[in-house]
Amino acid sequence: TETRSSTGSFTRDLSALESGTEYEFRAVADASDGDSNTGSTLTVTTATDPSVAVSTSGSSSVAETTATLDGSLDDLGGASSADVGFEYRQSGDSSWSTTATETRSSTGNFSRDLSGLTSGTDYEFRAVADASDGDTSTGSTLTFSTTTDPSVAVSTTASSNVGETAATLEGSLDDLGGASSADVA
């Protein structure tokens, strides 16, 4: 408290408040003649600690066993740098695999190429950042599906010239499945 003998504004500085917390406050006066008064209650919300922020942008160039993952380092949160990369896994798995990381000293987009994925499989992934000041951030989880292995396709179509001891059998090579040729019988 402060004893005042004239009217006018006054201030008090507070410390040791919690980050990102809403506080209520009000002015109080206790006069020397025994009167007291309380001002209306107002609120103030303390700022949050700046922290690293990363977002998951999407996937591109998805193929049978490869994909490119895209993300963005949105804020360094006061840190001098952050290691950015991705976590990924087959949908439904409980543990994450991680890509190599890249140390960034400024915000911006980044990507990682994955290989050795399983054909025709659903994957989920998310961007991650570990800042030099110890803060971490994880982007939202997105999904992609690898393409299936194109395979050769053949169909049996008919038979003709059926005799006692001979017949002509017919078929169709419907798709080479990415191969340059196929032996048919």
Side-chain angles (χ1 to χ4, degrees):
T1 62
E2 171 189 348
T3 302
R4 307 277 311 247
S5 58
S6 63
T7 62
S9 63
F10 60 95
T11 62
R12 291 291 171 272
D13 292 325
L14 300 177
S15 60
L17 300 176
E18 294 289 325
S19 168
T21 303
E22 183 177 289
Y23 288 91
E24 295 180 339
F25 68 99
R26 61 186 178 194
V28 177
D30 291 318
S32 59
D33 66 0
D35 287 341
S36 65
N37 191 311
T38 304
S40 59
T41 302
L42 300 177
T43 62
V44 63
T45 302
T46 56
T48 57
D49 282 337
S51 60
V52 66
V54 68
S55 57
T56 310
S57 303
S59 59
S60 58
S61 304
V62 178
E64 183 182 341
T65 60
T66 60
T68 300
L69 307 181
D70 303 305
S72 176
L73 178 59
D74 301 322
D75 195 337
L76 282 166
S80 60
S81 65
D83 294 334
V84 296
F86 294 91
E87 294 177 332
Y88 67 98
R89 64 185 178 188
Q90 287 187 13
S91 294
D93 283 358
S94 59
S95 62
W96 294 93
S97 296
T98 58
T99 65
T101 60
E102 168 190 354
T103 302
R104 303 282 307 257
S105 58
S106 62
T107 59
N109 298 327
F110 61 95
S111 63
R112 289 289 168 277
D113 294 327
L114 297 179
S115 61
L117 302 174
T118 303
S119 170
T121 302
D122 296 329
Y123 285 88
E124 52 190 15
F125 67 101
R126 59 191 182 188
V128 293
D130 293 315
S132 58
D133 64 1
D135 287 338
T136 62
S137 178
T138 303
S140 59
T141 301
L142 300 179
T143 62
F144 68 90
S145 298
T146 53
T147 59
T148 56
D149 177 16
S151 58
V152 65
V154 67
S155 58
T156 307
T157 57
S159 61
S160 61
N161 301 325
V162 179
E164 247 181 74
T165 59
T168 301
L169 307 178
E170 299 173 21
S172 172
L173 178 59
D174 300 322
D175 195 330
L176 282 170
S180 60
S181 65
D183 294 329
V184 296

